[in-house]
Amino acid sequence: MKLNIKLDNKKSKAQSLIEYALILAMVTVIAVVALQLLGQNMSNTLKQSAETINTGADDVQRKACESFGGTWTPGSTEEAGTCELNDTNSDTTN
């Protein structure tokens, strides 16, 4: 009788460990999938933020250049734009 109780107790412990392992595996798979999906969204959001900041910086530089009477030439994605200030000393108007 005691032998049956001991065997049943060991079986239930083994069954519980297997169930916990399956739950852990399922949670792990769900976490990995969620991180992959969120990772793409986070990457896209950061790229859009960087583009917005670059566009804003270009606009500020262009407006500053024009406020000093210069001509703004936009740059490429790798290089900044340039500002050519107009020479006001060469004007001959009175």
Side-chain angles (χ1 to χ4, degrees):
M1 186 73 162
K2 287 185 178 182
L3 184 60
N4 270 345
I5 293 173
K6 284 185 178 181
L7 287 176
D8 285 341
N9 195 14
K10 285 185 179 184
K11 285 181 183 178
S12 69
K13 283 184 180 180
Q15 183 179 358
S16 294
L17 287 174
I18 291 172
E19 288 173 355
Y20 288 137
L22 288 173
I23 290 171
L24 181 64
M26 184 176 66
V27 167
T28 303
V29 167
I30 291 171
V32 167
V33 169
L35 286 174
Q36 286 180 343
L37 292 175
L38 288 175
Q40 281 296 329
N41 289 340
M42 292 284 290
S43 176
N44 292 338
T45 301
L46 289 174
K47 284 179 185 177
Q48 288 174 351
S49 297
E51 288 174 6
T52 301
I53 290 171
N54 285 337
T55 301
D58 284 346
D59 287 344
V60 168
Q61 290 175 346
R62 178 183 54 80
K63 288 179 182 178
C65 178
E66 290 172 354
S67 71
F68 287 114
T71 304
W72 175 254
T73 306
S76 65
T77 55
E78 292 86 22
E79 295 181 11
T82 58
C83 179
E84 295 180 25
L85 295 177
N86 299 332
D87 189 10
T88 56
N89 292 335
S90 63
D91 288 343
T92 57
T93 57
N94 290 332

